[in-house]
mmCIF file with all atom_site columns, all heavy atoms in Angstrom:
data_model
loop_
_atom_site.group_PDB
_atom_site.id
_atom_site.type_symbol
_atom_site.label_atom_id
_atom_site.label_alt_id
_atom_site.label_comp_id
_atom_site.label_asym_id
_atom_site.label_entity_id
_atom_site.label_seq_id
_atom_site.pdbx_PDB_ins_code
_atom_site.Cartn_x
_atom_site.Cartn_y
_atom_site.Cartn_z
_atom_site.occupancy
_atom_site.B_iso_or_equiv
_atom_site.pdbx_formal_charge
_atom_site.auth_seq_id
_atom_site.auth_comp_id
_atom_site.auth_asym_id
_atom_site.auth_atom_id
_atom_site.pdbx_PDB_model_num
ATOM 1   N N   . GLY A 1 1  ? 5.729  -106.423 -213.638 1.00 0.00 ? 27 GLY A N   1
ATOM 2   C CA  . GLY A 1 1  ? 4.651  -105.486 -214.193 1.00 0.00 ? 27 GLY A CA  1
ATOM 3   C C   . GLY A 1 1  ? 4.574  -104.305 -213.285 1.00 0.00 ? 27 GLY A C   1
ATOM 4   O O   . GLY A 1 1  ? 5.583  -103.757 -212.861 1.00 0.00 ? 27 GLY A O   1
ATOM 5   N N   . SER A 1 2  ? 3.279  -103.816 -213.072 1.00 0.00 ? 28 SER A N   1
ATOM 6   C CA  . SER A 1 2  ? 3.085  -102.662 -212.321 1.00 0.00 ? 28 SER A CA  1
ATOM 7   C C   . SER A 1 2  ? 2.920  -102.941 -210.833 1.00 0.00 ? 28 SER A C   1
ATOM 8   O O   . SER A 1 2  ? 2.471  -104.047 -210.537 1.00 0.00 ? 28 SER A O   1
ATOM 9   C CB  . SER A 1 2  ? 1.856  -101.959 -212.885 1.00 0.00 ? 28 SER A CB  1
ATOM 10  O OG  . SER A 1 2  ? 2.066  -101.566 -214.198 1.00 0.00 ? 28 SER A OG  1
ATOM 11  N N   . ILE A 1 3  ? 3.197  -102.109 -210.048 1.00 0.00 ? 29 ILE A N   1
ATOM 12  C CA  . ILE A 1 3  ? 3.078  -102.153 -208.580 1.00 0.00 ? 29 ILE A CA  1
ATOM 13  C C   . ILE A 1 3  ? 1.959  -101.185 -208.138 1.00 0.00 ? 29 ILE A C   1
ATOM 14  O O   . ILE A 1 3  ? 2.193  -99.916  -208.445 1.00 0.00 ? 29 ILE A O   1
ATOM 15  C CB  . ILE A 1 3  ? 4.293  -101.912 -207.882 1.00 0.00 ? 29 ILE A CB  1
ATOM 16  C CG1 . ILE A 1 3  ? 5.444  -102.816 -208.195 1.00 0.00 ? 29 ILE A CG1 1
ATOM 17  C CG2 . ILE A 1 3  ? 4.119  -101.919 -206.400 1.00 0.00 ? 29 ILE A CG2 1
ATOM 18  C CD1 . ILE A 1 3  ? 6.795  -102.565 -207.608 1.00 0.00 ? 29 ILE A CD1 1
ATOM 19  N N   . GLY A 1 4  ? 1.027  -101.543 -207.458 1.00 0.00 ? 30 GLY A N   1
ATOM 20  C CA  . GLY A 1 4  ? -0.001 -100.624 -206.668 1.00 0.00 ? 30 GLY A CA  1
ATOM 21  C C   . GLY A 1 4  ? 0.597  -99.959  -205.507 1.00 0.00 ? 30 GLY A C   1
ATOM 22  O O   . GLY A 1 4  ? 0.822  -98.782  -205.555 1.00 0.00 ? 30 GLY A O   1
ATOM 23  N N   . THR A 1 5  ? 0.929  -100.687 -204.470 1.00 0.00 ? 31 THR A N   1
ATOM 24  C CA  . THR A 1 5  ? 1.553  -100.120 -203.285 1.00 0.00 ? 31 THR A CA  1
ATOM 25  C C   . THR A 1 5  ? 2.512  -101.113 -202.665 1.00 0.00 ? 31 THR A C   1
ATOM 26  O O   . THR A 1 5  ? 2.335  -102.414 -202.687 1.00 0.00 ? 31 THR A O   1
ATOM 27  C CB  . THR A 1 5  ? 0.354  -100.079 -202.186 1.00 0.00 ? 31 THR A CB  1
ATOM 28  O OG1 . THR A 1 5  ? -0.683 -99.232  -202.725 1.00 0.00 ? 31 THR A OG1 1
ATOM 29  C CG2 . THR A 1 5  ? 0.818  -99.459  -200.881 1.00 0.00 ? 31 THR A CG2 1
ATOM 30  N N   . VAL A 1 6  ? 3.675  -100.480 -202.267 1.00 0.00 ? 32 VAL A N   1
ATOM 31  C CA  . VAL A 1 6  ? 4.682  -101.269 -201.590 1.00 0.00 ? 32 VAL A CA  1
ATOM 32  C C   . VAL A 1 6  ? 5.067  -100.555 -200.322 1.00 0.00 ? 32 VAL A C   1
ATOM 33  O O   . VAL A 1 6  ? 5.344  -99.405  -200.287 1.00 0.00 ? 32 VAL A O   1
ATOM 34  C CB  . VAL A 1 6  ? 5.929  -101.407 -202.363 1.00 0.00 ? 32 VAL A CB  1
ATOM 35  C CG1 . VAL A 1 6  ? 7.098  -102.123 -201.700 1.00 0.00 ? 32 VAL A CG1 1
ATOM 36  C CG2 . VAL A 1 6  ? 5.680  -102.132 -203.801 1.00 0.00 ? 32 VAL A CG2 1
ATOM 37  N N   . VAL A 1 7  ? 5.068  -101.394 -199.217 1.00 0.00 ? 33 VAL A N   1
ATOM 38  C CA  . VAL A 1 7  ? 5.506  -100.808 -197.905 1.00 0.00 ? 33 VAL A CA  1
ATOM 39  C C   . VAL A 1 7  ? 6.495  -101.649 -197.344 1.00 0.00 ? 33 VAL A C   1
ATOM 40  O O   . VAL A 1 7  ? 6.279  -102.966 -197.149 1.00 0.00 ? 33 VAL A O   1
ATOM 41  C CB  . VAL A 1 7  ? 4.349  -100.662 -196.997 1.00 0.00 ? 33 VAL A CB  1
ATOM 42  C CG1 . VAL A 1 7  ? 4.761  -100.114 -195.597 1.00 0.00 ? 33 VAL A CG1 1
ATOM 43  C CG2 . VAL A 1 7  ? 3.169  -99.709  -197.541 1.00 0.00 ? 33 VAL A CG2 1
ATOM 44  N N   . THR A 1 8  ? 7.766  -101.308 -197.041 1.00 0.00 ? 34 THR A N   1
ATOM 45  C CA  . THR A 1 8  ? 8.851  -102.106 -196.454 1.00 0.00 ? 34 THR A CA  1
ATOM 46  C C   . THR A 1 8  ? 9.325  -101.500 -195.073 1.00 0.00 ? 34 THR A C   1
ATOM 47  O O   . THR A 1 8  ? 10.061 -102.127 -194.501 1.00 0.00 ? 34 THR A O   1
ATOM 48  C CB  . THR A 1 8  ? 10.084 -102.136 -197.471 1.00 0.00 ? 34 THR A CB  1
ATOM 49  O OG1 . THR A 1 8  ? 10.644 -100.782 -197.570 1.00 0.00 ? 34 THR A OG1 1
ATOM 50  C CG2 . THR A 1 8  ? 9.642  -102.758 -198.724 1.00 0.00 ? 34 THR A CG2 1
ATOM 51  N N   . GLY A 1 9  ? 8.908  -100.516 -194.580 1.00 0.00 ? 35 GLY A N   1
ATOM 52  C CA  . GLY A 1 9  ? 9.299  -99.975  -193.360 1.00 0.00 ? 35 GLY A CA  1
ATOM 53  C C   . GLY A 1 9  ? 8.675  -100.386 -192.150 1.00 0.00 ? 35 GLY A C   1
ATOM 54  O O   . GLY A 1 9  ? 7.443  -100.898 -192.273 1.00 0.00 ? 35 GLY A O   1
ATOM 55  N N   . ASP A 1 10 ? 9.237  -100.373 -191.105 1.00 0.00 ? 36 ASP A N   1
ATOM 56  C CA  . ASP A 1 10 ? 8.766  -100.859 -189.879 1.00 0.00 ? 36 ASP A CA  1
ATOM 57  C C   . ASP A 1 10 ? 7.675  -99.951  -189.357 1.00 0.00 ? 36 ASP A C   1
ATOM 58  O O   . ASP A 1 10 ? 7.921  -98.775  -189.249 1.00 0.00 ? 36 ASP A O   1
ATOM 59  C CB  . ASP A 1 10 ? 9.933  -100.995 -188.738 1.00 0.00 ? 36 ASP A CB  1
ATOM 60  C CG  . ASP A 1 10 ? 10.950 -101.973 -189.020 1.00 0.00 ? 36 ASP A CG  1
ATOM 61  O OD1 . ASP A 1 10 ? 10.528 -103.111 -189.664 1.00 0.00 ? 36 ASP A OD1 1
ATOM 62  O OD2 . ASP A 1 10 ? 12.094 -101.941 -188.585 1.00 0.00 ? 36 ASP A OD2 1
ATOM 63  N N   . GLY A 1 11 ? 6.596  -100.459 -189.061 1.00 0.00 ? 37 GLY A N   1
ATOM 64  C CA  . GLY A 1 11 ? 5.425  -99.541  -188.522 1.00 0.00 ? 37 GLY A CA  1
ATOM 65  C C   . GLY A 1 11 ? 4.756  -98.857  -189.502 1.00 0.00 ? 37 GLY A C   1
ATOM 66  O O   . GLY A 1 11 ? 3.758  -98.127  -189.342 1.00 0.00 ? 37 GLY A O   1
ATOM 67  N N   . ALA A 1 12 ? 5.244  -98.729  -190.746 1.00 0.00 ? 38 ALA A N   1
ATOM 68  C CA  . ALA A 1 12 ? 4.589  -98.036  -191.864 1.00 0.00 ? 38 ALA A CA  1
ATOM 69  C C   . ALA A 1 12 ? 3.244  -98.845  -192.385 1.00 0.00 ? 38 ALA A C   1
ATOM 70  O O   . ALA A 1 12 ? 3.377  -100.068 -192.334 1.00 0.00 ? 38 ALA A O   1
ATOM 71  C CB  . ALA A 1 12 ? 5.419  -97.792  -193.054 1.00 0.00 ? 38 ALA A CB  1
ATOM 72  N N   . GLN A 1 13 ? 2.383  -98.247  -192.830 1.00 0.00 ? 39 GLN A N   1
ATOM 73  C CA  . GLN A 1 13 ? 0.986  -98.763  -193.205 1.00 0.00 ? 39 GLN A CA  1
ATOM 74  C C   . GLN A 1 13 ? 0.788  -98.388  -194.702 1.00 0.00 ? 39 GLN A C   1
ATOM 75  O O   . GLN A 1 13 ? 1.053  -97.294  -195.057 1.00 0.00 ? 39 GLN A O   1
ATOM 76  C CB  . GLN A 1 13 ? -0.096 -98.593  -192.329 1.00 0.00 ? 39 GLN A CB  1
ATOM 77  C CG  . GLN A 1 13 ? 0.141  -99.106  -190.980 1.00 0.00 ? 39 GLN A CG  1
ATOM 78  C CD  . GLN A 1 13 ? -1.055 -98.924  -190.082 1.00 0.00 ? 39 GLN A CD  1
ATOM 79  O OE1 . GLN A 1 13 ? -2.097 -98.454  -190.528 1.00 0.00 ? 39 GLN A OE1 1
ATOM 80  N NE2 . GLN A 1 13 ? -1.051 -99.290  -188.874 1.00 0.00 ? 39 GLN A NE2 1
ATOM 81  N N   . ALA A 1 14 ? 0.128  -99.327  -195.376 1.00 0.00 ? 40 ALA A N   1
ATOM 82  C CA  . ALA A 1 14 ? -0.241 -98.936  -196.741 1.00 0.00 ? 40 ALA A CA  1
ATOM 83  C C   . ALA A 1 14 ? -1.431 -98.009  -196.723 1.00 0.00 ? 40 ALA A C   1
ATOM 84  O O   . ALA A 1 14 ? -2.158 -98.027  -195.694 1.00 0.00 ? 40 ALA A O   1
ATOM 85  C CB  . ALA A 1 14 ? -0.791 -100.246 -197.520 1.00 0.00 ? 40 ALA A CB  1
ATOM 86  N N   . PRO A 1 15 ? -1.488 -97.088  -197.732 1.00 0.00 ? 41 PRO A N   1
ATOM 87  C CA  . PRO A 1 15 ? -2.727 -96.179  -197.636 1.00 0.00 ? 41 PRO A CA  1
ATOM 88  C C   . PRO A 1 15 ? -3.949 -96.864  -197.730 1.00 0.00 ? 41 PRO A C   1
ATOM 89  O O   . PRO A 1 15 ? -4.031 -97.962  -198.334 1.00 0.00 ? 41 PRO A O   1
ATOM 90  C CB  . PRO A 1 15 ? -2.414 -95.368  -198.914 1.00 0.00 ? 41 PRO A CB  1
ATOM 91  C CG  . PRO A 1 15 ? -1.552 -96.085  -199.816 1.00 0.00 ? 41 PRO A CG  1
ATOM 92  C CD  . PRO A 1 15 ? -0.643 -96.965  -198.793 1.00 0.00 ? 41 PRO A CD  1
ATOM 93  N N   . SER A 1 16 ? -5.054 -96.345  -197.101 1.00 0.00 ? 42 SER A N   1
ATOM 94  C CA  . SER A 1 16 ? -6.320 -96.930  -197.135 1.00 0.00 ? 42 SER A CA  1
ATOM 95  C C   . SER A 1 16 ? -7.019 -97.074  -198.501 1.00 0.00 ? 42 SER A C   1
ATOM 96  O O   . SER A 1 16 ? -7.561 -98.007  -198.791 1.00 0.00 ? 42 SER A O   1
ATOM 97  C CB  . SER A 1 16 ? -7.388 -96.125  -196.205 1.00 0.00 ? 42 SER A CB  1
ATOM 98  O OG  . SER A 1 16 ? -7.436 -94.865  -196.714 1.00 0.00 ? 42 SER A OG  1
ATOM 99  N N   . ALA A 1 17 ? -6.643 -96.114  -199.359 1.00 0.00 ? 43 ALA A N   1
ATOM 100 C CA  . ALA A 1 17 ? -7.196 -96.290  -200.763 1.00 0.00 ? 43 ALA A CA  1
ATOM 101 C C   . ALA A 1 17 ? -6.014 -96.495  -201.743 1.00 0.00 ? 43 ALA A C   1
ATOM 102 O O   . ALA A 1 17 ? -5.064 -95.782  -201.641 1.00 0.00 ? 43 ALA A O   1
ATOM 103 C CB  . ALA A 1 17 ? -7.922 -94.906  -201.200 1.00 0.00 ? 43 ALA A CB  1
ATOM 104 N N   . PRO A 1 18 ? -6.168 -97.596  -202.557 1.00 0.00 ? 44 PRO A N   1
ATOM 105 C CA  . PRO A 1 18 ? -4.973 -97.815  -203.422 1.00 0.00 ? 44 PRO A CA  1
ATOM 106 C C   . PRO A 1 18 ? -4.841 -96.769  -204.384 1.00 0.00 ? 44 PRO A C   1
ATOM 107 O O   . PRO A 1 18 ? -5.837 -96.005  -204.781 1.00 0.00 ? 44 PRO A O   1
ATOM 108 C CB  . PRO A 1 18 ? -5.405 -99.149  -204.150 1.00 0.00 ? 44 PRO A CB  1
ATOM 109 C CG  . PRO A 1 18 ? -6.928 -99.203  -203.977 1.00 0.00 ? 44 PRO A CG  1
ATOM 110 C CD  . PRO A 1 18 ? -7.226 -98.443  -202.724 1.00 0.00 ? 44 PRO A CD  1
ATOM 111 N N   . PRO A 1 19 ? -3.608 -96.522  -204.825 1.00 0.00 ? 45 PRO A N   1
ATOM 112 C CA  . PRO A 1 19 ? -3.395 -95.438  -205.738 1.00 0.00 ? 45 PRO A CA  1
ATOM 113 C C   . PRO A 1 19 ? -3.987 -95.710  -207.159 1.00 0.00 ? 45 PRO A C   1
ATOM 114 O O   . PRO A 1 19 ? -4.122 -96.879  -207.519 1.00 0.00 ? 45 PRO A O   1
ATOM 115 C CB  . PRO A 1 19 ? -1.821 -95.279  -205.955 1.00 0.00 ? 45 PRO A CB  1
ATOM 116 C CG  . PRO A 1 19 ? -1.368 -96.649  -205.501 1.00 0.00 ? 45 PRO A CG  1
ATOM 117 C CD  . PRO A 1 19 ? -2.359 -97.175  -204.494 1.00 0.00 ? 45 PRO A CD  1
ATOM 118 N N   . ALA A 1 20 ? -4.396 -94.702  -207.869 1.00 0.00 ? 46 ALA A N   1
ATOM 119 C CA  . ALA A 1 20 ? -4.941 -94.904  -209.161 1.00 0.00 ? 46 ALA A CA  1
ATOM 120 C C   . ALA A 1 20 ? -3.869 -95.234  -210.110 1.00 0.00 ? 46 ALA A C   1
ATOM 121 O O   . ALA A 1 20 ? -2.709 -94.602  -210.230 1.00 0.00 ? 46 ALA A O   1
ATOM 122 C CB  . ALA A 1 20 ? -5.567 -93.668  -209.718 1.00 0.00 ? 46 ALA A CB  1
ATOM 123 N N   . MET A 1 21 ? -3.969 -96.321  -210.900 1.00 0.00 ? 47 MET A N   1
ATOM 124 C CA  . MET A 1 21 ? -2.964 -96.760  -211.824 1.00 0.00 ? 47 MET A CA  1
ATOM 125 C C   . MET A 1 21 ? -3.406 -96.181  -213.255 1.00 0.00 ? 47 MET A C   1
ATOM 126 O O   . MET A 1 21 ? -4.528 -96.234  -213.649 1.00 0.00 ? 47 MET A O   1
ATOM 127 C CB  . MET A 1 21 ? -2.837 -98.296  -211.909 1.00 0.00 ? 47 MET A CB  1
ATOM 128 C CG  . MET A 1 21 ? -2.482 -98.876  -210.616 1.00 0.00 ? 47 MET A CG  1
ATOM 129 S SD  . MET A 1 21 ? -0.801 -98.259  -210.080 1.00 0.00 ? 47 MET A SD  1
ATOM 130 C CE  . MET A 1 21 ? 0.184  -99.186  -211.233 1.00 0.00 ? 47 MET A CE  1
ATOM 131 N N   . PRO A 1 22 ? -2.365 -95.873  -214.070 1.00 0.00 ? 48 PRO A N   1
ATOM 132 C CA  . PRO A 1 22 ? -2.776 -95.343  -215.505 1.00 0.00 ? 48 PRO A CA  1
ATOM 133 C C   . PRO A 1 22 ? -3.422 -96.636  -216.262 1.00 0.00 ? 48 PRO A C   1
ATOM 134 O O   . PRO A 1 22 ? -3.091 -97.727  -216.064 1.00 0.00 ? 48 PRO A O   1
ATOM 135 C CB  . PRO A 1 22 ? -1.375 -95.020  -216.065 1.00 0.00 ? 48 PRO A CB  1
ATOM 136 C CG  . PRO A 1 22 ? -0.503 -94.820  -214.935 1.00 0.00 ? 48 PRO A CG  1
ATOM 137 C CD  . PRO A 1 22 ? -1.093 -95.679  -213.806 1.00 0.00 ? 48 PRO A CD  1
ATOM 138 N N   . ALA A 1 23 ? -4.227 -96.248  -217.301 1.00 0.00 ? 49 ALA A N   1
ATOM 139 C CA  . ALA A 1 23 ? -4.809 -97.250  -217.981 1.00 0.00 ? 49 ALA A CA  1
ATOM 140 C C   . ALA A 1 23 ? -3.704 -98.067  -218.743 1.00 0.00 ? 49 ALA A C   1
ATOM 141 O O   . ALA A 1 23 ? -2.739 -97.535  -219.351 1.00 0.00 ? 49 ALA A O   1
ATOM 142 C CB  . ALA A 1 23 ? -5.786 -96.576  -219.028 1.00 0.00 ? 49 ALA A CB  1
ATOM 143 N N   . GLY A 1 24 ? -3.852 -99.425  -218.749 1.00 0.00 ? 50 GLY A N   1
ATOM 144 C CA  . GLY A 1 24 ? -2.959 -100.187 -219.423 1.00 0.00 ? 50 GLY A CA  1
ATOM 145 C C   . GLY A 1 24 ? -1.737 -100.483 -218.631 1.00 0.00 ? 50 GLY A C   1
ATOM 146 O O   . GLY A 1 24 ? -0.841 -101.370 -219.088 1.00 0.00 ? 50 GLY A O   1
#
């Protein structure tokens, strides 16, 4: 399905606010 946030890098962090997903 849809993905909100993906972080795979060393030391990288997810953004504090999740990204806005399109309706549906």
Side-chain angles (χ1 to χ4, degrees):
S28 297
I29 298 174
T31 302
V32 175
V33 177
T34 63
D36 292 330
Q39 294 185 4
S42 57
M47 298 298 289

